[in-house]
Amino acid sequence: MPDRTLRNCRVLVVEDEYMLADELTMELGDAGAVVIGPAGTLEDALALIEAEPKIDGAILDVNLRGVLVFPAADVLAGRNVPIIFTTGYDAGVFPMRFDHVHRCEKPISIMCVTEAIGLVIHG
């Protein structure tokens, strides 16, 4: 992915697996993004969303230590922030309002996730 794709884009990372969050943060940073987070809990994600006036896109792990991330996704959707989900769940877990949201199935490829967030940010 060319660096310009995510250069200066503010990307929220919500992921409770430390190693995966670290890899995503590094890869996004290498692509020129400004990483917000990572947040490992729904509460932390909501606090970051509230504190950040500008978020260009978000990568959301669906299951955060047994808590579903959909409340954070709703807040982001209300702000028209493009999101992608990382998940091991099948489509039946997702509320219909998120049918259109891109999903990266776990185990994920870090490169696929960074490419996907670039696509949803830039349409």
Side-chain angles (χ1 to χ4, degrees), residues 3-121:
D3 282 350
R4 65 179 169 75
T5 303
L6 292 176
R7 184 165 307 286
N8 298 321
C9 289
R10 299 179 58 76
V11 179
L12 173 66
V13 174
V14 179
E15 172 60 59
D16 64 348
E17 293 178 40
Y18 174 80
M19 294 299 289
L20 185 52
D22 190 50
E23 285 182 67
L24 279 169
T25 298
M26 287 192 310
E27 187 71 27
L28 290 165
D30 288 348
V34 176
V35 177
I36 302 166
T41 66
L42 177 60
E43 293 78 20
D44 289 346
L46 291 169
L48 281 174
I49 294 165
E50 182 178 323
E52 291 293 329
K54 182 175 188 264
I55 301 173
D56 296 306
I59 300 167
L60 307 177
D61 180 8
V62 171
N63 183 338
L64 301 170
R65 300 180 187 148
V67 177
L68 297 178
V69 77
F70 301 130
D74 286 328
V75 174
L76 291 165
R79 288 176 52 178
N80 294 316
V81 174
I83 62 174
I84 64 168
F85 290 119
T86 59
T87 184
Y89 290 116
D90 65 24
V93 168
F94 292 84
M96 289 179 59
R97 65 187 180 279
F98 297 120
D99 282 350
H100 67 286
V101 175
H102 183 83
R103 298 176 195 138
C104 294
E105 301 292 324
K106 288 188 175 185
I108 63 170
S109 156
I110 299 298
M111 182 61 88
C112 278
V113 173
T114 56
E115 287 176 3
I117 196 64
L119 288 173
V120 299
I121 288 173

